[in-house]
Amino acid sequence: MDRRAHALLTPREMAQADQAAMAGGRPGVALMEDAGLAVARAVQARWPRQPVAVLCGPGNNGGDGFVAARHLAAAGWPVTLALLGGRDALKGDAAHHAALWPGPVVPLAPDALDGATLVIDAIFGAGLARPVDGVAAATLQAVIDRALPVCAVDTPSGVDGATGEVRGIAAPADITVTFFRKKPGHLLLPGRALCGELEVADIGIPDAVLDAIAPHTWENAPANWIARFPWPRLQGHKYARGHALVLGGAVMTGATRLTALAAARIGAGLVTVAAPSASWPVYAAALTSVMVLPLGGETRFETLLADTRKNAIAIGPGAGVSAATRGHALAALATRRAVVLDADAITAFSDTAHTLFDAIRGPCVLTPHEGEFGRLFQRVGPKLARARTAAARCGAVIVLKGADTVIAAPDGRAAINSNAPPDLATGGSGDVLTGMITGLLAQGMAPFDAACAATWIHGAAAAAHGPGLIAEDLPARIPDVLRTLKG
């Protein structure tokens, strides 16, 4: 599997891909012709013939619209073509294809929608650098008010292709046709929700152009990490598959148990929960394949850390926000073994984030949701950029959770996860993810790969279960996903 297939290109990188293809002998007018033809075919495949308003902007996105309009009109579709600005203001490839349009052109305005039952939104593309305003905004608002079905070209007008944020206004699309590769804004909210079904069309740009672009953002997919997945080996044994240590809390015992079970299900050879003595019976009665050790007296958490065979440590789920949790996290980080910090272990440093960052010197993954993220880092700016900045600041892989989870490494690599169903919005699902990452780290997977693999498998397990999902269902679904991955 080629990980290049899952590269995400910013609008600037996509422009580089276009230029590289043209430098390699593929004319720009041909790229635009294939793009517009792909839009026309997508419309014909989805809807029966009907009156369509093609809304064109003054740039290349509008040029794609002219091509789509020409092909639909040739196929007998009643087409109204509306243009923002004058045809004489168009330049380059867009001007070329506008000259091939045989029909009338009306000014872009809400009344251009009159009589149409379908819209092709080709006003602005993914690289829009300012808010949509004026007549373009009014026309998009009319599309929304009339609840017209929409096919968007590249992105819905107003959606930033780099961030997924809306610049001013955007009309939701039923389908979005983009070209060569997806962009981050197709997967990041709110853009992802506005794109509808996403179709990536081949317009003749060779994959080889990616070598020079060297993208560092990907859609999270098995092709990106499956070659390094730690499958059990014939000559292996449980000790070779790592030993995960999970800190147990005194009250919220369910969170810790979910974490431990997930670490075991994902393949850790041994899993130990270190639990307060008073809660030890609860853990011991509920966990059979996981070892439970009581903390208290001469058995301190630091004593367990002295055993170097315990090579991956999870702290946070159910631990409680306290100085003790903070101390346990610092002790784990001091070992320079793999550490995953989640939930309470993140919140425990809300007033002393620099102490945590200074302590991270080995492989580490932090798995905050947006609220926890804000306790350590600035919540200003687009999600992808925030996750990258946070990873570089603290030296750990950041898993910024949500429907559009971003996994960011300190070296700038990032992945956006797109397979998580809304059923995962249930208590305890994050505790399972923490355990899965810990289990993969115990087996020797690198932190970024482990975070990406666990996040994808987590989403696939939830999708396999479907409606009615609760966190306890997830670990039992992991083997089915692994079986499919292994083939």
Side-chain angles (χ1 to χ4, degrees):
M1 291 184 280
D2 187 354
R3 70 195 301 259
R4 294 187 304 179
H6 302 283
L8 299 175
L9 301 184
T10 65
R12 179 173 294 184
E13 289 170 334
M14 185 62 212
Q16 290 177 306
D18 286 337
Q19 290 298 320
M22 288 186 280
R26 179 81 169 146
V29 291
L31 293 173
M32 189 170 286
E33 175 69 23
D34 284 354
L37 178 58
V39 172
R41 287 174 172 169
V43 168
Q44 291 172 299
R46 189 178 185 97
W47 290 284
R49 187 181 303 167
Q50 58 189 289
V52 56
V54 182
L55 311 180
C56 294
N60 286 341
N61 203 246
D64 297 340
F66 270 97
V67 175
R70 172 163 48 86
H71 283 287
L72 289 173
W77 287 56
V79 176
T80 298
L81 193 149
L83 176 63
L84 179 62
R87 191 190 293 210
D88 56 354
L90 297 173
K91 296 182 174 63
D93 302 329
H96 170 87
H97 284 290
L100 298 179
W101 167 244
V105 176
V106 303
L108 185 75
D111 60 9
L113 302 172
D114 293 347
T117 56
L118 177 64
V119 170
I120 293 178
D121 173 9
I123 305 175
F124 299 117
L128 181 67
R130 57 178 176 79
V132 179
D133 57 10
V135 69
T139 304
L140 291 174
Q141 186 61 58
V143 172
I144 296 170
D145 293 343
R146 300 185 191 196
L148 293 169
V150 175
C151 173
V153 179
D154 197 15
T155 60
S157 292
V159 172
D160 188 320
T163 68
E165 296 182 334
V166 174
R167 294 184 176 271
I169 187 174
D174 295 81
I175 183 172
T176 296
V177 182
T178 193
F179 314 108
F180 183 53
R181 290 295 186 274
K182 298 176 186 177
K183 299 173 181 67
H186 291 131
L187 303 184
L188 293 166
L189 292 173
R192 177 178 166 187
L194 291 166
C195 286
E197 179 186 340
L198 186 61
E199 179 178 314
V200 181
D202 180 0
I203 58 172
I205 299 176
D207 290 346
V209 304
L210 294 172
D211 294 337
I213 295 171
H216 56 294
T217 308
W218 297 269
E219 181 174 11
N220 191 20
N224 300 341
W225 39 260
I226 195 67
R228 297 175 297 281
F229 196 83
W231 300 110
R233 299 180 180 181
L234 179 63
Q235 68 273 31
H237 49 79
K238 62 185 178 184
Y239 297 105
R241 296 178 66 188
H243 190 160
L245 175 63
V246 183
L247 177 67
V251 178
M252 303 291 287
T253 64
T256 307
R257 285 180 278 153
L258 288 169
T259 299
L261 187 56
R265 281 290 191 188
I266 203 73
L270 294 162
V271 180
T272 294
V273 169
S277 296
S279 303
W280 179 86
V282 176
Y283 288 101
L287 298 171
T288 52
S289 58
V290 172
M291 295 177 285
V292 183
L293 294 177
L295 293 177
E298 295 183 0
T299 305
R300 300 166 57 243
F301 189 65
E302 290 74 13
T303 305
L304 300 180
L305 292 176
D307 182 354
T308 58
R309 294 174 298 179
K310 295 179 173 65
N311 63 333
I313 306 147
I315 301 177
V321 180
S322 65
T325 297
R326 187 165 57 246
H328 293 326
L330 293 174
L333 291 168
T335 68
R336 300 200 177 191
R337 287 173 239 152
V339 176
V340 182
L341 301 181
D342 182 27
D344 293 342
I346 293 173
T347 302
F349 288 94
S350 58
D351 296 328
T352 56
H354 65 280
T355 301
L356 172 61
F357 302 162
D358 291 344
I360 296 173
R361 292 292 180 267
C364 183
V365 180
L366 306 184
T367 62
H369 56 57
E370 284 284 5
E372 292 160 349
F373 183 89
R375 292 165 196 151
L376 297 182
F377 306 102
Q378 293 291 322
R379 289 186 63 186
V380 178
K383 184 172 185 174
L384 179 58
R386 288 190 288 115
R388 273 200 171 103
T389 299
R393 169 71 181 87
C394 71
V397 170
I398 298 291
V399 180
L400 183 48
K401 296 182 291 193
D404 54 351
T405 293
V406 172
I407 304 104
D411 62 9
R413 289 174 296 162
I416 304 172
N417 199 65
S418 62
N419 77 334
D423 309 271
L424 272 174
T426 182
S429 63
D431 304 319
V432 174
L433 178 59
T434 294
M436 294 169 68
I437 298 171
T438 306
L440 291 175
L441 289 170
Q443 295 170 80
M445 210 170 187
F448 183 71
D449 284 341
C452 288
T455 302
W456 190 90
I457 294 168
H458 189 249
H465 187 282
L469 176 78
I470 58 175
E472 288 94 321
D473 299 321
L474 288 168
R477 289 285 181 177
I478 293 172
D480 294 335
V481 178
L482 295 179
R483 189 177 302 112
T484 301
L485 282 174
K486 194 172 184 181

